[in-house]
Amino acid sequence: MLPRLLVPLAALLSLRLGVGTYGSELPKPPMAWFKAEFFHHVLCWHPISNQSKSTYYEVELQWYGREPWKSLPHCSQAPALCCDVTKVTLDLYHTNGYRAKVRAVDGHRYSNWTLANTRLSLDEVTLKVDSVKLEMHEGFIFGKIQLPRPQVAPEGVTYESIFSHFRQYEIAIRKVPESFKFSSEKVNHENFSLPIPGEVGKFCVQVKPSISSRANKGIWSEEQCIVLTKQYFTVTNLSLFFALFLLLCGVLAYCLVLQLYVRRRKKLPTVLVFKKPSPFVLVSKLPYPEMQDTIHPLDIDSFQKVSLELRISDLHSSMDSGFSSTKPSLQLEEPQFLPVPSLQACGALGKGESPDLQVGCNDSGSGSSSSSTDSGICLQEPGLNPGSEPPWEKKVGSTSQGQDDSGISLIQNSEGQPGSTQGSSTLGHMTLPGPEVPEEEDPATVAFQGYLKQTRCTEEKTTVAPCLEEETPLTDDLCPQFRTCLDPEAGWPSPTLAKGYLKQDPPGITLAPSGVPPGRNQWNQLTEEWPLLGLTTCGNLGPSDWNPAHDLAPQDCVVAPGGLLGSFDSDLVTQPLISSLYSSE
Amino acid sequence: MKAQGVALWLLGTALVLCSMYTHGFRRCLTSVDMHHLEECFQEIKRAVQTKDIFPNITILSTVETLRSVKPMDVCCVTKNLLEFYMDRVFKDHQELKPQILRRISSIANSFLYMQKTLQQCQVQRRCHCSEEATNATRMVHDNYDQLEVPSAATKSLGELDVFLAWIEKNHQETSPA
């Protein structure tokens, strides 16, 4: 009985094992699922538990709702556990989806089919962008999202065509090196701009797409970084700079035009064209605060043309006799007058002293004739220089401090004095036996300020020519010797004298230093007209000593050649003159 | 010339009105938040579709079922399918998991809101059901009847994504985002 049952029993056992080995021995894959991105569909499964090296998996795909299953042989490559089914699921975005199943195969053994847990549908597609391009401009980050463009997608099927509405993108910005999000924002368009005011540094941007009307999941894209720097050359800054530059150019052009047009050099009228000024200026109109006593030389030639009668008439009409006054104050008040050089200084100068010593004419005379007047009339012995016209000489310096003369100096020339001769020839010095007139404060005198200024010796100490030699000591002469410091540069002795002032006071004696040296006849005429002038004085007589009754012989004084000098030392002159006056009486 | 112009003008006006009529009627469910429905379905999709062991059979995904519905029949078909789910699917499905049950309840409530919105649209406009619309509705019911009730209900719930996509396409097509 038992041997009859063993055979069917063994057959039954072998049949059962064979079936299990063939169809069911292999466990089926535990799970299968779809992973889908835009036109990248993948079916994955779990391996079986006792998988061997020869185990592989078979995959079949079905269009949901249609009967036949389609086998995918490329998915049966062992030991892969995922299979790309994109090419067989291109209609995913226009259908209800696909179903798939997987089974394990090992030799002749097969497992059961495992269906994918979900149907592959449009909802299964995970959204993702391809990349994002960033630009920086004026504190903004401008981004352009690049949507995926898979090559396997059929023509005309794009991300925008499938998801035509409600596309959204979440933008996340991270500032390097922080790990947290700097900012996050949702935009509804592929082109976006994010403000980053005042921020500099490196910023990284990520994008996650989504569809607001769908439940599709999205994944973050790769980071795209950009470096924000301070932009100085922005459109706004460049525009401002350009506008300022144009404005500056306009201002400069305006100033330049103004400069050229307004201050354009104009040709002076010929009347106003003067010759090149010589060191001796006739008249100085410009104020020199430190040199108010600038004396401008007079043109001797032109001055000589002036008639002596005019000068004489001035002498008659002037309040001032023209003789130097013993009052030093007057002379001080009129510093413009050329002071009378001191007798001592003149003597020293006559010996050929240096110009510096000549300068001392002004200074040295202070002690000798501080009270000398500045009438500038120097009485000269006519015999000393009979043939020559009374030359006009330039007064050398001043004999007293602050003394200025009228430009008329009375010089006593000795015979054979070339300087005096020279001076007489050029300057036209005239000596007058003018008694000293007390220089009171005559209103007429004050009113008439017609003296032409003469240069002092101090002003021309460097160019002062040696004074006219006066060999004769002053004490021996009735008339003091007056020197004229001639300017060698002038080339003639007269320029220095020409700088003297010509007193124009009607009551006084106005004698131009460069005027026509009056001749002897003229001198006699003068003396006849003005008895006062007949009194020969060599200098300033003291006002108290003046006696019009005295009639001094003209020959007692020598007309100094070279012109009139301003003033002379009254102290030296007064004494001998007074003595001569008394003696004559 | 004037008569032809008037005729053309009248024809154009009629076409515009018809398009507005049909287009406007198709968009009766524009106020429905379809995104919420889809999110709810995604949460139960795996659980429901995993239980579907009849992949060869479909209820709503037949080629001629929904794709061939004309714009004029959208209102009728939408109304009929909403009644199908409310009266048969949600009632026949037996769910034990509370999480899945909560989501199905949420979807059912949204369908109820859609039915009321559609009824208001039907009062304002005519929601006439043509023969083609009636035939499409009958096919769905026939497919549902081929399976056992639990399996059919499960499969119908698994095909909610198809129904929701069809609604979005026909009722909520607006300007590009």
Side-chain angles (χ1 to χ4, degrees):
Chain A
M1 183 76 170
L2 187 62
R4 290 182 185 177
L5 293 175
L6 288 175
V7 173
L9 190 61
L12 187 62
L13 288 173
S14 61
L15 185 63
R16 186 176 178 182
L17 289 172
V19 171
T21 304
Y22 184 79
S24 63
E25 287 184 359
L26 284 178
K28 67 178 182 179
M31 189 167 59
W33 66 92
F34 281 103
K35 292 192 303 184
E37 292 180 3
F38 191 71
F39 282 98
H40 184 226
H41 315 144
V42 177
L43 176 66
C44 294
W45 57 89
H46 286 307
I48 58 177
S49 56
N50 53 352
Q51 179 176 295
S52 65
K53 293 181 180 181
S54 60
T55 305
Y56 64 93
Y57 300 91
E58 288 184 348
V59 177
E60 290 185 354
L61 188 70
Q62 182 200 32
W63 189 317
Y64 184 73
R66 295 182 181 181
E67 183 66 28
W69 286 87
K70 185 178 181 181
S71 177
L72 302 177
H74 66 277
C75 295
S76 301
Q77 297 176 5
L81 299 176
C82 289
C83 177
D84 190 349
V85 296
T86 305
K87 293 185 179 180
V88 294
T89 57
L90 294 178
D91 295 329
L92 175 65
Y93 305 95
H94 300 98
T95 62
N96 295 325
Y98 297 86
R99 297 295 301 268
K101 58 183 182 180
V102 180
R103 71 173 180 180
V105 178
D106 189 357
H108 296 287
R109 298 186 296 170
Y110 299 90
S111 66
N112 292 330
W113 290 102
T114 301
L115 288 172
N117 55 358
T118 59
R119 176 166 35 92
L120 181 62
S121 62
L122 188 57
D123 297 337
E124 297 289 319
V125 176
T126 302
L127 305 177
K128 182 183 177 183
V129 298
D130 197 11
S131 63
V132 58
K133 292 183 179 179
L134 300 175
E135 289 180 358
M136 183 190 71
H137 185 62
E138 291 186 357
F140 282 81
I141 294 178
F142 292 90
K144 187 174 183 180
I145 298 171
Q146 303 294 321
L147 296 175
R149 296 283 185 265
Q151 295 181 355
V152 298
E155 188 174 351
V157 180
T158 60
Y159 186 94
E160 300 91 315
S161 64
I162 294 170
F163 306 105
S164 57
H165 309 300
F166 309 115
R167 293 192 302 272
Q168 283 187 343
Y169 306 94
E170 186 176 352
I171 313 296
I173 303 173
R174 180 179 70 91
K175 186 174 182 180
V176 180
E178 288 84 359
S179 61
F180 56 88
K181 286 183 181 180
F182 181 77
S183 68
S184 179
E185 191 172 333
K186 268 198 174 182
V187 296
N188 297 327
H189 201 269
E190 285 75 22
N191 296 325
F192 63 92
S193 63
L194 299 174
I196 311 290
E199 294 288 341
V200 292
K202 188 176 182 181
F203 292 87
C204 296
V205 176
Q206 282 184 305
V207 178
K208 185 173 80 173
S210 63
I211 307 297
S212 60
S213 61
R214 304 189 68 89
N216 293 75
K217 294 181 181 178
I219 56 176
W220 291 100
S221 65
E222 293 180 359
E223 274 192 344
Q224 290 288 334
C225 299
I226 187 170
V227 179
L228 297 182
T229 57
K230 285 265 188 184
Q231 284 190 328
Y232 297 100
F233 296 102
T234 60
V235 175
T236 307
N237 292 347
L238 287 174
S239 302
L240 284 173
F241 176 76
F242 189 67
L244 287 173
F245 179 75
L246 288 177
L247 186 65
L248 183 65
C249 289
V251 170
L252 287 174
Y254 176 77
C255 292
L256 187 65
V257 169
L258 197 69
Q259 191 85 1
L260 293 175
Y261 181 75
V262 174
R263 296 187 183 182
R264 189 193 308 168
R265 277 192 174 183
K266 297 183 180 179
K267 191 176 180 182
L268 284 174
T270 54
V271 180
L272 297 177
V273 175
F274 294 100
K275 294 180 182 179
K276 186 177 181 181
S278 62
F280 301 97
V281 183
L282 286 174
V283 177
S284 172
K285 293 185 179 180
L286 297 175
Y288 297 101
E290 72 280 4
M291 297 167 57
Q292 295 181 356
D293 299 335
T294 303
I295 298 174
H296 301 281
L298 297 176
D299 189 3
I300 293 296
D301 294 336
S302 60
F303 199 80
Q304 285 177 353
K305 295 178 183 178
V306 179
S307 63
L308 183 60
E309 290 78 7
L310 274 176
R311 299 292 176 262
I312 296 172
S313 65
D314 290 335
L315 286 172
H316 281 295
S317 59
S318 64
M319 295 292 292
D320 190 0
S321 63
F323 294 99
S324 59
S325 169
T326 54
K327 288 186 178 179
S329 61
L330 290 177
Q331 296 182 10
L332 290 173
E333 292 174 359
E334 297 179 323
Q336 64 271 22
F337 295 108
L338 186 66
V340 178
S342 62
L343 296 175
Q344 296 175 357
C346 288
L349 288 168
K351 294 179 182 176
E353 291 292 333
S354 64
D356 293 337
L357 195 57
Q358 297 174 5
V359 175
C361 285
N362 288 330
D363 300 330
S364 60
S366 61
S368 59
S369 60
S370 59
S371 60
S372 62
T373 60
D374 57 349
S375 64
I377 300 175
C378 177
L379 301 179
Q380 183 181 16
E381 292 181 3
L384 292 176
N385 199 5
S388 65
E389 296 178 346
W392 297 98
E393 277 191 1
K394 178 189 170 188
K395 192 70 179 294
V396 177
S398 63
T399 54
S400 61
Q401 291 178 343
Q403 267 189 353
D404 286 323
D405 60 0
S406 61
I408 302 171
S409 63
L410 303 177
I411 299 176
Q412 182 180 4
N413 281 333
S414 58
E415 292 180 352
Q417 293 182 350
S420 62
T421 305
Q422 183 183 6
S424 64
S425 64
T426 55
L427 296 177
H429 178 80
M430 183 180 77
T431 56
L432 293 174
E436 189 175 15
V437 178
E439 281 195 21
E440 299 176 357
E441 288 294 331
D442 245 343
T445 304
V446 175
F448 292 92
Q449 298 290 337
Y451 280 95
L452 296 176
K453 199 172 184 179
Q454 292 183 358
T455 56
R456 298 182 182 180
C457 281
T458 54
E459 300 172 5
E460 302 170 353
K461 59 182 177 182
T462 57
T463 59
V464 172
C467 290
L468 297 174
E469 55 275 16
E470 294 289 346
E471 299 295 337
T472 309
L474 292 174
T475 53
D476 295 338
D477 297 335
L478 295 177
C479 301
Q481 293 178 352
F482 300 94
R483 290 206 167 271
T484 301
C485 298
L486 302 178
D487 187 3
E489 295 181 0
W492 50 277
S494 59
T496 57
L497 186 61
K499 290 186 179 179
Y501 278 86
L502 176 64
K503 187 176 179 183
Q504 297 176 359
D505 295 345
I509 301 174
T510 304
L511 296 172
S514 60
V516 178
R520 189 125 184 111
N521 295 331
Q522 293 178 348
W523 177 248
N524 293 331
Q525 185 180 359
L526 280 173
T527 52
E528 291 173 2
E529 293 180 0
W530 294 296
L532 295 177
L533 293 178
L535 297 175
T536 57
T537 58
C538 295
N540 297 330
L541 296 174
S544 57
D545 298 333
W546 173 248
N547 189 355
H550 294 285
D551 186 11
L552 295 175
Q555 60 273 9
D556 292 337
C557 293
V558 179
V559 177
L564 301 172
L565 298 179
S567 61
F568 49 90
D569 187 66
S570 60
D571 294 336
L572 293 174
V573 175
T574 305
Q575 299 276 344
L577 288 176
I578 294 174
S579 62
S580 65
L581 286 173
Y582 283 111
S583 63
S584 64
E585 287 179 352
Chain B
M1 291 298 291
K2 289 186 178 178
Q4 289 180 353
V6 172
L8 288 172
W9 182 82
L10 288 172
L11 182 62
T13 305
L15 288 172
V16 168
L17 290 174
C18 289
S19 64
M20 288 174 62
Y21 176 78
T22 55
H23 187 74
F25 190 75
R26 288 174 57 187
R27 299 179 184 277
C28 290
L29 302 179
T30 55
S31 61
V32 177
D33 187 4
M34 300 303 295
H35 182 70
H36 171 72
L37 285 170
E38 291 191 4
E39 284 186 345
C40 292
F41 174 74
Q42 290 295 327
E43 295 176 1
I44 63 170
K45 177 184 179 180
R46 181 174 296 184
V48 172
Q49 291 184 355
T50 302
K51 295 178 180 180
D52 184 9
I53 56 176
F54 302 99
N56 299 334
I57 299 171
T58 177
I59 298 174
L60 301 176
S61 297
T62 56
V63 178
E64 302 296 329
T65 306
L66 296 177
R67 290 183 182 273
S68 61
V69 173
K70 295 179 182 179
M72 294 183 63
D73 299 328
V74 168
C75 177
C76 178
V77 172
T78 305
K79 182 174 66 69
N80 295 334
L81 290 178
L82 287 173
E83 291 176 355
F84 166 74
Y85 275 91
M86 293 297 292
D87 298 337
R88 299 189 69 174
V89 175
F90 293 136
K91 290 183 178 180
D92 297 337
H93 182 72
Q94 301 295 327
E95 183 59 51
L96 302 177
K97 294 181 181 179
Q99 297 88 351
I100 306 303
L101 187 61
R102 193 180 299 118
R103 299 297 184 275
I104 293 174
S105 299
S106 176
I107 294 171
N109 289 330
S110 297
F111 278 15
L112 184 63
Y113 173 76
M114 291 165 66
Q115 282 184 318
K116 292 182 179 180
T117 304
L118 203 60
Q119 288 176 358
Q120 294 177 358
C121 187
Q122 289 176 346
V123 171
Q124 297 174 1
R125 304 178 183 84
R126 293 180 60 182
C127 190
H128 178 72
C129 292
S130 65
E131 184 177 356
E132 295 172 351
T134 304
N135 293 335
T137 305
R138 187 181 304 113
M139 186 177 297
V140 169
H141 284 274
D142 295 340
N143 294 334
Y144 186 81
D145 293 331
Q146 293 181 2
L147 295 172
E148 297 180 355
V149 172
S151 299
T154 301
K155 180 177 280 297
S156 298
L157 287 176
E159 292 180 1
L160 273 175
D161 58 336
V162 176
F163 181 51
L164 295 176
W166 183 84
I167 291 175
E168 185 178 2
K169 180 181 176 181
N170 291 277
H171 289 274
Q172 294 190 346
E173 280 186 359
T174 57
S175 59

